[in-house]
Amino acid sequence: TKQTNPNPHRTTSHFRWVHCVRMEPATATVLSPNTRRRHRKIVVIMGPTGAGKSRLSIDLATRFFKNSEIINSDKMQVYRRLDITTNKITKQEQHGVRHHLLGAFDPTQSVVNPHDFRKIASDAISDIISRRGLPLIVGGSNSFIYSLVTKRFDPKSDVFNGPNPDPVSSELRYKCCFIWVDVCLPVLNQYLCKRVDEMLDSGMLEELSEFFSSGEHLKVRRSGLGQAIGVPELEAYFRTGNGTESDAVYSEGVRRIKDNTCQLAKRQVGKILRLKDGGWDLKRIDATEAFMAVLTADSGGGRVAEIWEKQVVETSVKIVKQFLEE
Ligand code: ATP
């Protein structure tokens, strides 16, 4: 078996946490009386896997919009288990910000589909608004976001897939501020491959090993958590055990994880563009430069943090402030 270096705190060099030195806490935004009329206003942070959505949501919630609560909209992270494999934000990284629908469902009992998500996430939104909070919807699953915010949602329709996808509806049931965190794909792909290696080193392999050896992979719903990237790709490796061919099987599994993660990011951007073309007012924020700094071996965390702050956080804060004051 591979030698790994499991670390309960997952102190990897993931972009979102290590390369970003926390900036001095800013004073919370003072909002005009208008902002109190926040009825049905939500902020949606979307973007491909790895682009820094979680990091941005914590920056916004801890420093600028302190009444925020986060609703996870990643379809794998709604399940309990495989926290490293599905790249869930840890308790420590949450910095005390309340999270909803993160690891909330038993993967052996349920498959959460977009229709279910519409119901449970809208209940969470109502709950947050009733406490005068600001809901931040954060996650890469566009089918979940679409089902949640459209005025009418038909579970049988599919606006993203197939030769003739259904038209995108731009009639929404919330006032939405859509922030699309984007990173140009060649740069993101390079980062994602590095992230996979770091995830494997920081405990993903042990997590999956336990998952397979306990027979849990047989209990989870194939159409749910059983599809998380890492599970199908490393199944053969865990089946073959320590045989002589195991190194090759492992390398092939890792290669497929990297490939599938990059494919996922590409597909997610395609879905976002489809929503934009369908009339959704998405504010694109380009985080490429910050990611390029992460990938440059000699760049210190301070420089990354500075670029991230200037180009991603400040721009997002302006957009959200304006939205709340409208
Ligand atoms: P949607 O199409 O519902 O918007 P999506 O774009 O997040 O969702 P898909 O294209 O359906 O994802 O998924 C592609 C593959 O990536 C699937 O096998 C899916 O289970 C997997 N996947 C998606 N999110 C994660 C994640 N957080 N961790 C691991 N695998 C994931």
Side-chain angles (χ1 to χ4, degrees), residues 36-220:
R36 292 202 205 102
R37 275 189 255 120
R38 273 200 198 142
H39 190 54
R40 301 185 85 70
K41 276 191 176 179
I42 64 172
V43 175
V44 182
I45 302 182
M46 50 211 296
T49 183
K53 301 178 292 294
S54 299
R55 168 76 210 190
L56 176 62
S57 66
I58 297 299
D59 281 336
L60 297 179
T62 53
R63 296 164 46 208
F64 299 95
F65 308 102
K66 294 191 174 179
N67 59 340
S68 302
E69 294 182 29
I70 293 170
I71 300 177
N72 162 54
S73 57
D74 177 299
K75 67 190 201 193
M76 290 295 131
Q77 295 179 3
V78 295
Y79 301 109
R80 279 196 274 288
R81 316 287 287 130
L82 298 188
D83 295 352
I84 304 173
T85 304
T86 63
N87 216 358
K88 274 187 206 130
I89 181 171
T90 63
K91 261 276 171 268
Q92 199 184 7
E93 292 163 346
Q94 289 173 23
H95 284 277
V97 178
R98 187 160 171 193
H99 279 67
H100 301 257
L101 309 187
L102 188 69
F105 296 90
D106 180 346
T108 65
Q109 299 299 318
S110 40
V111 170
V112 181
N113 61 35
H115 182 63
D116 305 321
F117 183 77
R118 176 177 171 90
K119 169 82 182 83
I120 51 188
S122 62
D123 287 348
I125 290 176
S126 305
D127 176 41
I128 296 168
I129 291 176
S130 74
R131 282 183 275 107
R132 308 183 70 79
L134 174 66
L136 303 187
I137 318 302
V138 183
S141 294
N142 295 289
S143 65
F144 272 22
I145 293 169
Y146 185 81
S147 73
L148 172 63
V149 306
T150 46
K151 193 159 243 163
R152 276 168 289 276
F153 175 69
D154 174 1
K156 290 189 293 299
S157 88
D158 190 339
V159 300
F160 296 118
N161 302 296
N164 286 312
D166 293 310
V168 167
S169 166
S170 55
E171 254 195 288
L172 308 181
R173 61 174 171 160
Y174 299 103
K175 278 194 187 309
C176 299
C177 173
F178 294 108
I179 299 208
W180 162 21
V181 190
D182 200 24
V183 177
C184 96
L185 277 179
V187 173
L188 184 61
N189 287 345
Q190 222 184 313
Y191 169 75
L192 288 173
C193 292
K194 191 167 175 253
R195 187 181 77 168
V196 169
D197 289 330
E198 290 171 352
M199 285 164 69
L200 287 163
D201 286 348
S202 67
M204 175 174 167
L205 206 58
E206 284 73 13
E207 184 177 85
L208 285 168
S209 168
E210 202 190 309
F211 185 72
F212 281 103
S213 62
S214 65
E216 232 171 328
H217 65 298
L218 302 170
K219 294 187 215 137
V220 298

Side-chain angles (χ1 to χ4, degrees), residues 179-183 283-287 311-312 315-316 319:
I179 299 208
W180 162 21
V181 190
D182 200 24
V183 177
K283 310 286 191 208
R284 179 175 176 271
I285 296 191
D286 191 349
Q311 299 187 359
V312 182
T315 320
S316 307
I319 294 168

